[in-house]
Amino acid sequence: VLVDLQSTSFTAENDIVKHNRVVFRGGEDAQQTLPPLIDIIVPEARLNLVVNHLKQDQVNEAYALMKDLEPITSQELILKAVVFSMVGQTSDSADFMRIARDLFQRVGASPSECDTIPGRQCMASCFFLLQQYSDVLLYLNSIRPFFATDDTFLYLFGITNAATRNYKEAEESLSAVKSEKIRAESSFITWLVRCYIMTNQPKKAWDMYLKMETSTESFGALQLIATDCYRIGSFYYAAKAFDVLERLDTSEEYVKGLRGACAGVLQQVA
């Protein structure tokens, strides 16, 4: 019996060592090492494997691990909320987004977490999914000093400010993002282009478009430059954008936009 107990104890310790090695090495070999440990001796293995899947943009794999989990701890609640919000965004599912909001709120409103940084992040995430951006800013501003160089925070803080028309602060926050992955996202490009235009820097918006490869994203940026520049009276860059749009698509809307923008340029130089 003693031999069996010693063997069991050794196996458990060995499994914990395997798990911790993956964690300490930043997720290296996580997808090979952690699956056998799930729900056996290392309960954290499931959560760390989900985190690893998310870092690899493997949302479906992360969802498979979390969908049937009944979260109890704050870490489980937060991770399930993150996974469900990502699935909800990619599948455009209102049900997934509702579940994610509820999970974020459970953490953020709980007495043990409401005044912690994770708790405030959760409330910010909840209000962000509700598109209540003024409330999002209240929570983000309260934790901003702790994330001065965090790219994800800078991105979220930037687009939230832009959504509330604080374009100058939004532009500064988005411009500070260093992650090439984030900067390549279409939503990042769209918001930064708009911020440049709304802070009277249309040339930066135009230069940003010129650096883009031909794609649906570049076409969208071109449309944004044309309409936003026209709206604020920056007719020169509106005309440049409408000119390209008219050559790509002979829509009457673009023809009229080009004519109006050119007329605006003539009025400004007259």
Side-chain angles (χ1 to χ4, degrees), residues 57 155 159 179-192 208 212 217:
D57 293 326
Y155 182 27
I159 61 179
S179 168
E180 292 300 324
K181 180 181 176 182
I182 293 177
R183 295 184 71 90
E185 292 185 10
S186 58
S187 60
F188 177 91
I189 294 168
T190 299
W191 281 115
L192 187 53
M208 193 171 179
M212 300 174 68
E217 286 79 13

Side-chain angles (χ1 to χ4, degrees), residues 187-201:
S187 60
F188 177 91
I189 294 168
T190 299
W191 281 115
L192 187 53
V193 164
R194 169 158 284 174
C195 289
Y196 281 147
I197 295 169
M198 294 302 178
T199 54
N200 296 312
Q201 302 177 84

